[in-house]
Amino acid sequence: MSGWRDPQHRDGLALVLSSGLTSVIGLLYWVVAARLFAPEVVGVNNTLISTMTLLAVAAQLNLGNALLRFVAVAGASARRLVLSCYAVAGVAAAVAGAVFALGAGWWAPELQHAVGAGPLIVFFALATPAWTVFVMQDYALTAVKRATLVPVENLVFSLLKIALLALGALVAFSTVIAVSWVVATALTIVWITVFLLRVLPSGSSGTAAPSPVRPRTVARFVSADWTGGLFTLAVEFGLPLLVLVTLGAEQAATFGIAWAIAYGLYLVSHGMGQSMVAHVAADPAGLAAARRSMTTKSLALVLPAVLVIVPGAGLILSIFGPHYVATGTTLLALAALSAVPNIVVTETLFAARVRQQRSVLLGVPAVLALLVIPPALVLMPVLGLTGVGVALVVGQSVMAVAILAQRWVAARRDAR
């Protein structure tokens, strides 16, 4: 499994390529937005999108990971499994988005004031379920061994939202950035759903074996994975909202752009992990070798990028303007550096999904959230955005060291 041509690594590399294309073109998207709109408008729209993304992925109930784990062994019921997961997650996302918007006067008054109560409800009620299904599509494509289509899907989506942004700038209403994002999402969903319906086996096809997957099995898996995933989402997508509330819209704009760059590095190990689960789910005996290979391949891709971004953070942010250089250079360097220990955290979680280790799926993200979010809240009033970067790199490093130490102790115990 050491070569890049191995199916696991080929599909993983396709997912990484997808993340890379999305990140690069996503940066172009925010460059266009930063040049067309004032920082406070960019900050509000970035927070809208980040908060919607947080709700959408949380409302997904981690059913995307369930698709990775169980579609390979679902047989003739694979189509029913995928569509059922879509339906459950979509309804949950619509409810979550509507509840957030209705209560925004209490927990996000800045957003409600900037956007308006009515438009905020419409945006979250429609955008949240759409993004939920959009996210799950990548898992479904990977589960059916069509991960090589994911980069094409995300390239089309990224270019489409830039075109819609440029078109919307002519209208120049305050939420045009968020609206262009959602319209591009909806159009992409239609295309990929049609494709999946063609390639997924149906119960009437008679070409696949009966499914060993039961709803109770899926429910037990996602109960721990989803709960742990909420903590991960709080770190990865909740921080923009905390920055907006604590430091204001202009600082939120800087954080959103810097985090978009650094989070692209996080997605490398995430993509390699998705492919690993899809390829070893039906044969867990190969997990140990697949896990080691996933880690080395992720490091091979992430480390060179970190060595470029850390010293070049200011130059990279200069593309967006002097405001972003002055406020986000140190943040970007620290956030990029935090992607290295995150590889250990990510491969631990994806291996736990193959083994269905519910305690790991819940415990590791919960501890990581405690290591990042409270320190960030304490440090932001003192260090500004740099405090968030410090919290990220220290939290991820402490979690990775704890995992490796526990693994070393277990190996010595087994040796004895």
Side-chain angles (χ1 to χ4, degrees):
M1 286 197 178
S2 59
W4 286 107
R5 293 185 179 181
D6 178 86
Q8 174 189 325
H9 302 317
R10 180 202 61 211
D11 287 353
L13 193 59
L15 295 175
V16 171
L17 174 62
S18 173
S19 299
L21 286 172
T22 302
S23 297
V24 171
I25 301 177
L27 286 177
L28 176 60
Y29 176 84
W30 289 111
V31 167
V32 174
R35 296 297 183 181
L36 291 177
F37 302 95
E40 58 269 20
V41 174
V42 176
V44 168
N45 279 267
N46 183 276
T47 304
L48 270 175
I49 294 169
S50 297
T51 305
M52 178 272 293
T53 301
L54 169 64
L55 293 171
V57 180
Q60 179 208 153
L61 306 176
N62 276 34
L63 287 167
N65 285 324
L67 295 179
L68 282 178
R69 179 62 183 82
F70 297 113
V71 163
V73 294
S77 66
R79 181 185 294 183
R80 185 171 71 248
L81 174 62
V82 171
L83 294 179
S84 297
C85 289
Y86 276 14
V88 171
V91 171
V95 172
V99 169
F100 175 85
L102 288 169
W106 287 284
W107 42 68
E110 293 84 0
L111 275 182
Q112 189 180 74
H113 176 73
V115 179
L120 195 68
I121 293 171
V122 172
F123 173 79
F124 276 97
L126 296 178
T128 311
W131 190 256
T132 294
V133 174
F134 180 84
V135 170
M136 293 179 70
Q137 286 182 157
D138 288 358
Y139 289 92
L141 288 170
T142 305
V144 297
K145 310 299 190 297
R146 302 298 179 94
T148 50
L149 183 60
V150 176
V152 179
E153 172 209 10
N154 286 301
L155 176 62
V156 171
F157 165 72
S158 298
L159 294 176
L160 184 58
K161 68 183 181 184
I162 290 176
L164 291 170
L165 177 63
L167 182 63
L170 300 176
V171 182
F173 58 95
S174 61
T175 56
V176 64
I177 300 174
V179 170
S180 70
W181 192 289
V182 175
V183 173
T185 301
L187 294 174
T188 308
I189 286 172
V190 173
W191 165 41
I192 296 299
T193 300
V194 170
F195 174 80
L196 284 171
L197 289 176
R198 292 176 56 192
V199 300
L200 283 167
S202 64
S204 59
S205 64
T207 60
S211 169
V213 179
R214 299 291 181 266
R216 179 178 296 182
T217 304
V218 177
R220 281 180 55 82
F221 174 85
V222 300
S223 62
D225 198 29
W226 175 71
T227 306
L230 292 179
F231 292 104
T232 300
L233 293 174
V235 173
E236 295 180 353
F237 296 107
L239 285 175
L241 183 58
L242 294 179
V243 171
L244 175 68
V245 172
T246 306
L247 300 178
E250 291 190 0
Q251 298 294 306
T254 300
F255 180 81
I257 288 175
W259 183 233
I261 298 170
Y263 189 64
L265 301 181
Y266 278 58
L267 293 176
V268 171
S269 56
H270 189 81
M272 299 300 289
Q274 286 184 40
S275 180
M276 181 187 72
V277 174
H279 283 273
V280 304
D283 183 24
L287 176 61
R291 179 178 182 171
R292 288 191 299 270
S293 193
M294 171 205 159
T295 301
T296 56
K297 290 295 188 291
S298 297
L299 285 170
L301 294 171
V302 169
L303 282 176
V306 170
L307 293 175
V308 171
I309 293 174
V310 170
L315 182 61
I316 294 170
L317 289 176
S318 66
I319 299 172
F320 300 90
H323 165 78
Y324 299 94
V325 177
T327 56
T329 298
T330 305
L331 166 67
L332 175 56
L334 292 172
L337 192 60
S338 73
V340 177
N342 177 257
I343 292 173
V344 177
V345 178
T346 301
E347 58 93 355
T348 299
L349 290 173
F350 277 102
R353 289 180 179 117
V354 175
R355 294 171 174 161
Q356 300 185 53
Q357 293 175 314
R358 302 171 74 235
S359 60
V360 176
L361 293 173
L362 175 57
V364 169
V367 173
L368 181 60
L370 290 174
L371 291 171
V372 173
I373 294 177
L377 290 173
V378 172
L379 293 173
M380 267 193 283
V382 180
L383 301 177
L385 291 176
T386 298
V388 184
V390 171
L392 279 167
V393 72
V394 171
Q396 293 284 0
S397 298
V398 170
M399 190 74 254
V401 168
I403 290 170
L404 293 174
Q406 187 277 333
R407 200 174 296 170
W408 180 77
V409 170
R412 286 182 61 87
R413 185 175 61 246
D414 293 342
R416 288 197 302 266

